[in-house]
Amino acid sequence: MTGPPAETAAVRHAVRRALVDLPARAPVLAAVSGGPDSLALAVGLAHVRPGSGVVVIDHGLQDGSPQVARTAAARCGRLGLAPEVVTVRVRGAGEGPARTARLLALETVAARTGAVVLLGHTLDDQAETVLLGLARGAGARSLSGMAAVRGIFRRPLLGVSRQVTHAACAQAGLTPWLDPHNQDPSYARVRVRTSALPALEAALGPGVTAALARSASLLREDADGLDALAAAVPTGPTLEVALLAALLPAVRARVLKTWAEQRCGAPVTTTHLTALRALVEHWSGQGAVALPGGRRVERSGGRLAFAP
């Protein structure tokens, strides 16, 4: 008796491994768009946990999107899963608002039963994320890519290539929907996918995509360790300069960023953070540092404090 094809087996194994810590009856949902990655995820989930739920999000951003959502739900139903189509309103243009609306809808559905939610991001998506971060000059946290587990969300396929998910769909007799946005060069991620990564593979040889994803995993371990060290540093309304100066620079930066963002209620940019660090590392009597929300931080009496 032969087993499933290698690609189908790889997807099943990835899903099984992602759920190994959950009780057998714990509720699980998969987010499925109908594309090859999420449809392959559904194929794996149907084998590992038959009868699990599926959420298909209709963003309403393209002509025919309701039909695409209904088709995806029907395919999941034929796999033995329990699909639900949710229509969301996207406020704003671009992928960011669509992602926010999608995640909020998934959280809402999952809250009914306390389910974990599986997302279909692949090894290729991870590599693209790292390369985009490199182009922006991002730090270790951004370069660590997407987390395999974050809150209720899990990404079983981060170690599975897009080539494998396409093959798994074909082996299941499923024709995935191909999102036209994934071929639109106005999106930076699409340019990375269709131009930058193939050029790197051509110049450096095969394996660049896997190497970038592997780097993300290693950087995530480093970033988690530095975040833990920073979280252990005592903070309050003010920060003692001598304490900050004694920290490793990477830990100091994290302490300052977290402290400032908690009190500003808004993200602190690299420019802001550089100025805050200068109050500790290159002090020459400079004035207060302006932060988001009209807040200002000044150094006085050996401490950093928000100005009145």
Side-chain angles (χ1 to χ4, degrees):
M1 182 176 179
T2 60
E7 293 83 0
T8 297
V11 170
R12 291 178 179 179
H13 174 71
V15 173
R16 185 179 295 109
R17 185 175 53 193
L19 302 178
V20 69
D21 62 315
L22 296 180
R25 295 183 178 275
V28 178
L29 295 171
V32 177
S33 66
D37 301 336
S38 64
L39 204 56
L41 177 64
V43 169
L45 183 60
H47 177 80
V48 174
R49 296 230 177 174
S52 291
V54 163
V55 182
V56 182
I57 304 294
D58 175 15
H59 298 88
L61 296 176
Q62 302 174 16
D63 292 337
S65 66
Q67 181 57 48
V68 170
R70 288 193 295 269
T71 300
R75 286 171 174 162
C76 291
R78 288 194 291 272
L79 290 171
L81 299 170
E84 175 181 354
V85 176
V86 177
T87 302
V88 300
R89 169 181 279 187
V90 178
R91 300 182 182 276
E95 174 57 23
R99 184 189 305 110
T100 299
R102 179 167 62 250
L103 293 178
L104 179 60
L106 292 170
E107 288 173 344
T108 301
V109 175
R112 297 177 197 159
T113 59
V116 301
V117 180
L118 307 186
L119 304 176
H121 298 111
T122 65
L123 180 144
D124 299 78
D125 294 311
Q126 187 75 300
E128 292 160 10
T129 300
V130 174
L131 204 53
L132 286 167
L134 282 169
R136 293 193 301 267
R141 175 53 67 192
S142 292
L143 295 180
S144 65
M146 296 174 284
V149 178
R150 185 170 185 176
I152 65 168
F153 295 105
R154 302 189 179 201
R155 296 180 172 91
L157 304 183
L158 283 182
V160 176
S161 72
R162 195 171 289 140
Q163 182 179 6
V164 168
T165 62
H166 278 257
C169 288
Q171 290 157 10
L174 298 172
T175 301
W177 170 64
L178 301 179
D179 186 348
H181 283 169
N182 288 335
Q183 298 299 319
D184 184 349
S186 66
Y187 293 99
R189 183 175 289 274
V190 172
R191 296 195 297 274
V192 167
R193 179 178 304 166
T194 59
S195 300
L197 272 173
L200 285 173
E201 295 273 358
L204 303 176
V208 171
T209 297
L212 286 169
R214 187 164 58 252
S215 294
S217 179
L218 294 171
L219 282 167
R220 179 164 294 278
E221 291 181 355
D222 292 345
D224 288 346
L226 291 168
D227 286 349
L229 290 174
V233 176
T235 61
T238 66
L239 291 177
E240 183 182 345
V241 171
L243 173 63
L244 293 171
L247 300 173
L248 291 169
V251 177
R252 182 187 309 128
R254 283 165 166 77
V255 172
L256 285 167
K257 179 176 172 62
T258 301
W259 178 75
E261 288 182 342
Q262 287 175 344
R263 284 153 182 80
C264 291
V268 170
T269 67
T270 300
T271 299
H272 295 134
L273 186 56
T274 299
L276 286 174
R277 292 182 62 169
L279 292 178
V280 178
E281 300 167 4
H282 306 291
W283 172 245
S284 59
Q286 62 263 42
V289 172
L291 294 178
R295 305 300 301 276
R296 294 184 305 127
V297 171
E298 59 186 8
R299 173 171 169 165
S300 179
R303 304 190 75 86
L304 300 188
F306 278 85

